[in-house]
Amino acid sequence: MQSLGHALKNIRLDNKLSQEEFAERINKHQGLSITKGMVSKWESGTIEPKTRMMKAIAETFHVSIDGLLGLQVPEKESIETIATHIDDDLTQEEMEEIKKYIQFIKSQRK
């Protein structure tokens, strides 16, 4: 499991941003006053961002807070999430069929 600081650094590098540019992008999108120094401390693990900052990072870079924290979604929730995003007007029976199909696919693993 990667640390929060490592996750933040990966997001920043994936977006080809310096620490200053990372802070500026969040500030621009969220109206905050994050500094390069704060980003440096977050990445090094010296301090962790407050909840409000985590939310701002997640919204600005379209990532989940769970992902930033290295949490994994339980398998059952993940199946329901996939089915939910396939189509908004699936019936309960169609959702059950999707779940059965996913279980079938898993049963084919060697």
Side-chain angles (χ1 to χ4, degrees):
M1 178 171 84
Q2 75 176 350
S3 70
L4 173 58
H6 190 73
L8 294 173
K9 185 173 184 176
N10 283 341
I11 291 168
R12 180 176 63 78
L13 295 176
D14 287 348
N15 285 276
K16 298 176 176 48
L17 300 171
S18 67
Q19 290 178 336
E20 186 172 4
E21 292 166 330
F22 183 80
E24 286 173 359
R25 183 169 300 177
I26 297 167
N27 292 338
K28 179 181 174 186
H29 284 85
Q30 303 294 324
L32 298 173
S33 299
I34 296 169
T35 65
K36 173 188 173 192
M38 291 170 75
V39 174
S40 176
K41 288 178 181 180
W42 294 342
E43 289 182 1
S44 69
T46 305
I47 61 171
E48 290 190 353
K50 295 183 179 186
T51 304
R52 187 175 99 179
M53 301 299 176
M54 293 275 292
K55 184 175 184 277
I57 293 164
E59 288 176 353
T60 301
F61 293 97
H62 309 289
V63 296
S64 72
I65 292 175
D66 286 351
L68 289 174
L69 297 174
L71 301 174
Q72 294 183 0
V73 177
E75 192 173 310
K76 184 176 185 218
E77 287 182 32
S78 154
I79 291 171
E80 290 173 2
T81 300
I82 291 168
T84 302
H85 292 299
I86 291 173
D87 195 339
D88 290 339
D89 59 351
L90 287 174
T91 66
Q92 186 63 33
E93 292 78 24
E94 291 167 329
M95 293 268 292
E96 292 302 320
E97 289 297 315
I98 291 170
K99 290 179 188 178
K100 287 178 189 175
Y101 183 70
I102 291 170
Q103 291 303 320
F104 169 75
I105 295 297
K106 288 175 152 183
S107 73
Q108 301 302 305
R109 294 180 186 161
K110 294 184 180 192

